[in-house]
Amino acid sequence: MASDDGGTRTIRDRFVPLAAAACLLSLAACAAEPEPPLDPGLRLDRRPLVLPLDAYHASPEEEAVVLRARTELFRGCMARLGFTAPTGATVTGIDRNHERYLLEDERLARTRGYHPSEAPRAGPQRVIDPGYLAAANGTGRPGAAVPPGGCEAEAHDRLIPVPAAEAMRRVTDLKGWSWERSLSDSRVTGVFAAWSSCMARLGHDYPTPRAANNDVAFRTDRPTPREIATAVADVRCKRRTDVVRTWAAVEAAYQQQAIARHLDELREGKKAITSLVAASRAIARQR
């Protein structure tokens, strides 16, 4: 199934982040807030889509740099314990906001419906030495030389300081909050209603795009003809009723609101992330 919060992974209702949870505990207070104005100067027709809060997180390219550095530290730790760890697969990251507003591409709808794109098939599974696993993650019966949590924990702790980890988590939480808030905004519910009417004319009864995306009838091993037909109609109706552009503009307004409220915190967090990326590049140059 396509990601239900428009992110890059395929998890239904992927998160109710801390900020969103706080809002849900006080629905009256959240509902009383005026809907933020849209920014007419914000470009939302470009792909990959960039939203306001993305400026305060590591970019996909920077995340790849951090991952490579973490892999190098992990391999060094494993070598110290007498194991050869793989170099790791090439990072081929998906755009950060890929399908954030659910299915958008009619070509993909025709081939996979709401199912996720198939991951590359791995080769034959090999039996992994229990000693290797113990050294890697500290489980089983690790030897005395294995650091707490194994080499995975050591690599993470050596590379990623607490401020940087907290900064990235905070941005993720705020993006979850903005996505949840956008769903109840009158401008989004308005285009959802138009989308629903469009779907009904094409023979599909769903109140919102989320309802179609999350239809339990589509939890099958492979897309069914009905799922494909629904997905194609979904994308066409989104296009006809301007769902994606409107939804993105509204969520961007909530993100700008969040930035205004947490600007100092976000700026400090971005500094921590920038330092993390610089340290990661230095590790890559040393290897």
Side-chain angles (χ1 to χ4, degrees), residues 59-133:
S59 69
E61 293 76 18
E62 290 172 333
E63 287 184 335
V65 170
V66 173
L67 178 59
R68 284 194 291 271
R70 184 173 169 179
T71 299
E72 289 302 320
L73 291 176
F74 171 76
R75 295 182 73 239
C77 174
M78 292 295 284
R80 189 176 74 237
L81 298 175
F83 298 97
T84 301
T87 57
T90 302
V91 178
T92 58
I94 298 175
D95 297 337
R96 181 182 306 288
N97 297 310
H98 175 70
E99 292 190 352
R100 185 165 183 84
Y101 307 108
L102 310 180
L103 195 60
E104 299 179 40
D105 189 322
E106 186 171 332
R107 179 184 59 84
L108 293 178
R110 288 184 176 280
T111 57
R112 63 172 174 87
Y114 294 102
H115 280 61
S117 300
E118 289 189 5
R121 294 184 178 275
Q125 293 286 358
R126 63 185 181 87
V127 177
I128 301 178
D129 176 8
Y132 181 98
L133 288 177

Side-chain angles (χ1 to χ4, degrees), residues 204-249:
H204 307 281
D205 182 19
Y206 295 99
T208 68
R210 294 181 78 189
N213 183 83
N214 292 355
D215 191 335
V216 294
F218 302 151
R219 295 181 184 178
T220 53
D221 290 338
R222 295 184 178 278
T224 62
R226 178 185 163 224
E227 179 184 342
I228 295 292
T230 303
V232 169
D234 177 358
V235 172
R236 290 179 176 176
C237 285
K238 281 196 182 90
R239 191 163 55 240
R240 292 172 187 172
T241 57
D242 207 18
V243 165
V244 173
R245 189 180 66 84
T246 302
W247 195 352

Side-chain angles (χ1 to χ4, degrees), residues 25 31-33 60 68 139 161 182 188-189 228 236 243 247 252 265:
L25 292 174
E33 292 186 3
R68 284 194 291 271
T139 59
S182 72
V188 172
T189 58
I228 295 292
R236 290 179 176 176
V243 165
W247 195 352
E265 176 189 356

